[in-house]
Amino acid sequence: MIQRQLEHRTIRKYKEIPVEADKVQTYLHVMNRTAARGTQAYSIIHVTDPTKKAQIAKATRQPFVKDLPEFFVFIVDVKRLSSIAQKIYPDKEQHCTFDYFFVGATDIFLAAQNMMNAIESDGLGGVYLSTVADDVPAMKEILELPELTFPILGLGFGYPDEHPSQTLWLPLSVKVSENVYQNVEDCYGDIQAYDEERRLLYNRMGHSTVKNYSQMIADRMVGRPSDYAKLLQKIVKEGFDLGLDIE
């Protein structure tokens, strides 16, 4: 299984072979056994309707979504918690604060990774979609999501019909330090070496105009904020309290 994880790559093209129902259920059971906070503030929607897949493909600007053999959308779900509390304390004010959202989101990322590990251990491939959070109003309409819910991650999978190159990530010497935080000055040489390795890879792939990592980061940090910069605004619109007035 470790070797499968080391060979992880994003798959966007799949064979026209349906994934066996018992396998899908096994992956869901694995997902459900993932460590989580006690609130378990998330839900998963299994998208099987071709029309909805096509609509999500448009909302996420990811055309391949419409052809995914299996597709799940992970939802931060505080609506369920609120509904339970309403049944027990119908006359009391509720506090749907940001910590519930934060915990639900972190639980989702752990659960999705655990599910992906199970998928890949069977020789299948998968793809994550953070872009389900790009157009929240569209996703909420497509999936009929109520207040206090928020789509944050998609996971598609099936039998691969491609074998793309692995993504190059920053080396461990840049990400991992011992006992104290490592400043960029202490590992900048390794970052520059990573830039050159990426440049050579993309040149071999015919993408000579792709920016290196450092240039990409610098341009993003000084450029116009992306739509993700408005994430907190979107979260507030869905009924979450950031708790800025709590002392």
Side-chain angles (χ1 to χ4, degrees):
M1 183 173 179
I2 290 177
Q3 190 58 41
R4 293 276 191 185
Q5 291 172 292
L6 290 172
E7 294 174 357
H8 169 75
R9 61 198 72 222
T10 297
I11 304 296
R12 295 181 176 86
K13 185 178 180 182
Y14 298 88
K15 296 177 181 178
E16 295 184 6
I17 301 174
V19 181
E20 297 85 341
D22 60 329
K23 286 189 175 183
V24 175
Q25 284 302 305
T26 295
Y27 305 149
L28 288 171
H29 283 300
V30 169
M31 177 276 300
N32 201 38
R33 295 305 306 164
T34 306
R37 291 287 289 270
T39 49
Q40 303 172 71
Y42 69 92
S43 292
I44 305 96
I45 295 177
H46 188 189
V47 183
T48 59
D49 183 339
T51 299
K52 289 187 180 294
K53 283 185 182 180
Q55 291 171 334
I56 294 173
K58 182 178 179 180
T60 60
R61 302 185 300 278
Q62 301 287 352
F64 65 86
V65 169
K66 67 181 186 300
D67 298 318
L68 289 172
E70 295 292 339
F71 184 51
F72 291 82
V73 179
F74 287 73
I75 311 294
V76 173
D77 185 1
V78 179
K79 174 65 174 179
R80 181 170 63 235
L81 310 187
S82 176
S83 298
I84 293 171
Q86 177 67 25
K87 289 182 177 298
I88 297 175
Y89 297 116
D91 301 320
K92 290 191 176 184
E93 180 185 4
Q94 295 185 21
H95 307 288
C96 299
T97 46
F98 181 69
D99 54 315
Y100 290 112
F101 179 94
F102 183 78
V103 168
T106 55
D107 283 351
I108 281 173
F109 295 132
L110 291 173
Q113 182 60 64
N114 219 24
M115 188 170 176
M116 182 69 83
N117 290 344
I119 290 165
E120 293 182 335
S121 72
D122 268 348
L124 283 73
V127 57
Y128 294 119
L129 282 98
S130 61
T131 48
V132 297
D134 280 5
D135 190 342
V136 174
M139 291 296 297
K140 297 203 77 166
E141 182 177 352
I142 295 165
L143 300 178
E144 301 181 20
L145 301 176
E147 187 181 50
L148 296 176
T149 61
F150 199 95
I152 202 165
L153 187 67
L155 193 163
F157 62 92
Y159 288 96
D161 197 24
E162 64 176 351
H163 190 73
S165 299
Q166 284 187 297
T167 302
L168 280 178
W169 299 121
L170 284 166
L172 292 178
S173 59
V174 176
K175 293 181 175 179
V176 182
S177 61
E178 187 170 348
N179 294 324
V180 296
Y181 179 78
Q182 175 179 237
N183 289 300
V184 165
E185 289 76 11
D186 298 324
C187 60
Y188 194 50
D190 290 342
I191 295 175
Q192 291 177 309
Y194 170 69
D195 282 338
E196 178 62 11
E197 190 177 4
R198 271 176 55 107
R199 185 187 70 81
L200 293 173
L201 172 64
Y202 282 117
N203 279 348
R204 290 195 298 270
M205 295 169 63
H207 304 307
S208 58
T209 59
V210 175
K211 296 178 182 179
N212 66 37
Y213 172 79
S214 295
Q215 190 65 54
M216 176 190 70
I217 294 301
D219 288 349
R220 288 186 180 182
M221 294 297 289
V222 302
R224 181 180 180 276
S226 71
D227 288 342
Y228 284 105
K230 303 174 183 177
L231 186 60
L232 286 180
Q233 297 174 25
K234 295 178 182 179
I235 292 169
V236 170
K237 286 182 180 179
E238 300 312 322
F240 291 90
D241 179 2
L242 298 185
L244 299 179
D245 298 327
I246 298 176
E247 297 181 358

